[in-house]
Amino acid sequence: MVLMRFCTAALLGASILSDRVWAAAVAWLLATLAIYVLNGVMDVAEDRANGSTRPISAGSLPLSAAAGGVVATAALALGIGVISDEDGLLPLLILAYLTCGYAYSAAPFYGKRRGSTAALLVLGGGVLTYAAGWQAAGRDGDLPVLLLGGAMSLWMAGVGALAKDLSDVEGDAAGGRRTPVIRWGGARVRLLIIVNAVLVAGGYLTITPTFAPILLPSAITLAVGASAVGVIAATTRRTRTRAGRRLPYRAFMITQYAVHLTVLATLTVAAVR
């Protein structure tokens, strides 16, 4: 999904992804890997309480190897970023991205423990990913990248970050987190998910016809996905299983993929014409 965000932003400004763009994409993926593995290192207790099958909590990836991998992949990401970007902005974006990831998972910030800081850091990670794709492609396609990146980053922070918490209540409580679900209860969070999904999709659908018509098909896709997320969030409120409580998050993820695939398909059709 991260690669899709990066490449979609790049393709909105460039019809062909050059070797330099692909190198930047590899750097961004390595930075993402470092962030996710760090999160796994820091979430062992929570993941085990949730019954997660993530490699570190399941014991298939030793903790020491994972920690070493975080340092190695982060350093490699920065190195490739320096080599692949003549302007020098990409390494700064990678460093900011890694900082967001660290602040989300680790001391002294532990942004994951509070809903507000978790949402802000998720929002920051999304914005930085679209900005990195835009930078790698030569800073073209400004307005479409801004609209898509803004809408989908808000989708991540306002819908995905909340939906993810629905299935992780036990582990989050064991880890001392004060997530919105723990503080306000599942019913209120589900309502907030529905409201945020409608606001983000509605805003995106309203703006794109005037300012970036090429994004209109993706706005329609987001509206359909937001409706699905809302319906699933409302109808699974009495579900007791973790798999059932995770359904709103799955719908959120499927919608993300669908929106970006729609943008890529629209760009392909426009290029053929």
Side-chain angles (χ1 to χ4, degrees):
M1 188 65 244
V2 171
L3 179 61
M4 193 173 287
R5 292 183 194 122
F6 184 100
C7 290
T8 302
L11 283 169
L12 281 169
S15 57
I16 298 175
L17 299 183
S18 65
D19 292 343
R20 190 175 295 275
V21 174
W22 282 117
V26 169
W28 203 260
L29 278 178
L30 287 169
T32 303
L33 180 61
I35 289 170
Y36 274 78
V37 175
L38 174 64
N39 182 255
V41 169
M42 302 304 299
D43 280 4
V44 172
E46 294 96 316
D47 285 343
R48 287 175 178 166
N50 285 325
S52 173
T53 58
R54 293 172 76 182
I56 300 172
S57 60
S60 56
L61 177 61
L63 197 60
S64 58
V70 169
V71 175
T73 51
L76 189 56
L78 285 168
I80 295 175
V82 170
I83 295 171
S84 63
D85 187 14
E86 296 175 347
D87 296 336
L89 180 58
L90 183 63
L92 295 178
L93 292 172
I94 292 172
L95 186 59
Y97 186 51
L98 290 169
T99 301
C100 282
Y102 183 89
Y104 181 89
S105 296
F109 308 102
Y110 292 117
K112 63 186 179 181
R113 293 183 176 177
R114 296 173 298 279
S116 57
T117 52
L120 285 172
L121 290 168
V122 168
L123 178 68
V127 169
L128 287 168
T129 299
Y130 290 103
W134 169 77
Q135 162 67 15
R139 305 181 195 176
D140 292 323
D142 297 358
L143 192 53
V145 174
L146 176 64
L147 293 179
L148 176 68
M152 296 314 297
S153 296
L154 288 171
W155 179 255
M156 292 163 59
V159 180
L162 291 171
K164 180 180 179 296
D165 290 340
L166 291 172
S167 61
D168 294 340
V169 177
E170 293 84 359
D172 289 345
R177 300 188 189 185
R178 297 291 295 164
T179 65
V181 179
I182 293 173
R183 293 178 60 195
W184 305 332
R188 291 184 180 179
V189 169
R190 288 173 186 275
L191 178 59
L192 186 57
I193 288 171
I194 294 169
V195 171
N196 286 350
V198 170
L199 289 175
V200 173
Y204 188 50
L205 185 59
T206 300
I207 293 172
T208 51
T210 301
F211 296 101
I214 197 162
L215 296 177
L216 180 57
S218 70
I220 295 171
T221 301
L222 182 58
V224 172
S227 300
V229 169
V231 169
I232 293 170
T235 56
T236 58
R237 63 186 184 279
R238 299 187 186 278
T239 301
R240 300 298 180 188
T241 65
R242 186 171 188 267
R245 286 180 290 167
R246 197 167 176 78
L247 288 175
Y249 183 74
R250 292 187 182 279
F252 151 80
M253 283 298 301
I254 290 170
T255 300
Q256 280 198 114
Y257 280 108
V259 168
H260 288 82
L261 287 172
T262 300
V263 174
L264 295 174
T266 305
L267 292 173
T268 300
V269 171
V272 170
R273 289 179 181 174

